[in-house]
């Protein structure tokens, strides 16, 4: 199976100025594409050759895991954004209130987790088997699916996600990207 770069659900300049067309050109067009290309090369004639990306993430280790997980994570991240402001659906708002006290409390905790993640990685909102929500940090390519959690939302905090637009100001990137989250997509993953 040859994997290909999934299409974006918006035009490359639609998220500007929070995420510029130049960042999309590099982050989506080059970094994400490279993970897909590397994955395709690595799985050739391997036990992973006919698996979907999610199955590879759950079963592989090493470089194949890293490239498959980065492919999965980037698709999930880009699919979670929208240029059109979306209000949080009630079913999600209720669960967030239960877990974090309020929507504002959730935002504070999520952004803190994303801002304090040391080095490269991802901040996630996840749901466990009992339906409880939690915020998770992962390093590098790691994905909470391998810990038995269901990802609902992620924000990429690798430097390549924000350096063109924000240089070292990760917190400014997080504040801006927060307004791009498609809460309908997040709720749809519950
Ligand atoms: Mn990235």
């Amino acid at each position: 199976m040859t994997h290909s770069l999934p299409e974006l659900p918006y035009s490359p300049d639609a998220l500007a100025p929070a995420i510029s067309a130049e960042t999309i050109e590099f982050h989506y067009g080059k970094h994400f594409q490279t993970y897909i290309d590397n994955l395709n090369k690595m799985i050739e004639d391997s036990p992973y050759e006919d698996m979907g990306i999610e199955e590879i993430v759950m079963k592989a280790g090493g470089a194949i895991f890293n490239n498959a997980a980065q492919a999965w994570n980037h698709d999930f991240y880009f699919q979670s954004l929208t240029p059109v402001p979306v209000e949080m659906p009630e079913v999600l708002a209720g669960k967030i209130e239960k877990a974090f006290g309020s929507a504002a409390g959730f935002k504070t905790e999520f952004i803190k987790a994303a801002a304090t993640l040391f080095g490269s990685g991802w901040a996630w909102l996840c749901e466990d088997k009992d339906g409880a929500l939690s915020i998770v940090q992962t390093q590098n390519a790691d994905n909470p699916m391998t810990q038995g959690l269901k990802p609902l939302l992620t924000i990429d905090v690798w430097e390549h996600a924000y350096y063109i637009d924000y240089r070292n100001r990760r917190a400014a990137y997080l504040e801006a990207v927060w307004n791009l989250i498609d809460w309908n997509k997040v709720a749809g993953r519950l």
Side-chain angles (χ1 to χ4, degrees), residues 27 31-32 35 70 74 77-78 122 156-158 160-161:
H27 194 192
H31 289 277
F32 188 3
Y35 296 125
Q70 282 296 80
H74 279 89
Y77 166 72
F78 285 117
W122 303 81
D156 188 344
V157 292
W158 283 58
H160 67 221

Side-chain angles (χ1 to χ4, degrees), residues 20-125:
S20 67
E22 189 185 1
T23 288
I24 295 288
E25 182 191 340
F26 279 81
H27 194 192
Y28 168 78
K30 296 185 192 295
H31 289 277
F32 188 3
Q33 180 74 62
T34 301
Y35 296 125
I36 298 275
D37 293 345
N38 287 343
L39 179 65
N40 283 327
K41 276 181 227 149
M42 288 175 184
I43 60 173
E44 228 176 275
D45 301 319
S46 84
Y48 306 104
E49 166 162 66
D50 296 318
M51 292 181 192
I53 289 179
E54 189 162 327
E55 192 179 0
I56 300 174
V57 169
M58 296 303 286
K59 291 181 176 169
I64 293 183
F65 169 83
N66 284 336
N67 284 282
Q70 282 296 80
W72 195 98
N73 297 354
H74 279 89
D75 186 34
F76 197 72
Y77 166 72
F78 285 117
Q79 295 295 330
S80 300
L81 304 178
T82 174
V84 183
V86 174
E87 237 184 271
M88 194 182 286
E90 267 180 42
V91 57
L92 179 62
K95 279 175 143 327
I96 279 179
E97 225 168 274
K98 193 173 167 203
F100 308 104
S102 66
F106 164 60
K107 180 184 172 185
T108 301
E109 278 192 46
F110 192 99
I111 286 185
K112 186 175 162 207
T116 59
L117 188 138
F118 186 77
S120 295
W122 303 81
W124 305 82
L125 175 67

Side-chain angles (χ1 to χ4, degrees), residues 168-184:
N168 59 328
R169 295 180 302 125
R170 189 193 283 187
Y173 155 73
L174 293 169
E175 273 296 330
V177 85
W178 193 261
N179 298 319
L180 301 176
I181 294 170
D182 187 339
W183 297 109
N184 284 330

Side-chain angles (χ1 to χ4, degrees), residues 110-166:
F110 192 99
I111 286 185
K112 186 175 162 207
T116 59
L117 188 138
F118 186 77
S120 295
W122 303 81
W124 305 82
L125 175 67
C126 295
E127 184 181 33
D128 70 14
K129 288 189 301 290
D130 303 318
L133 303 190
S134 62
I135 293 166
V136 175
Q137 295 174 318
T138 64
Q139 298 281 339
N140 301 315
D142 286 352
N143 182 303
M145 287 191 298
T146 63
Q147 306 162 34
L149 295 170
K150 183 201 282 185
L152 304 177
L153 167 69
T154 194
I155 294 183
D156 188 344
V157 292
W158 283 58
E159 284 185 350
H160 67 221
Y162 59 87
Y163 231 77
I164 290 172
D165 296 328
Y166 299 93

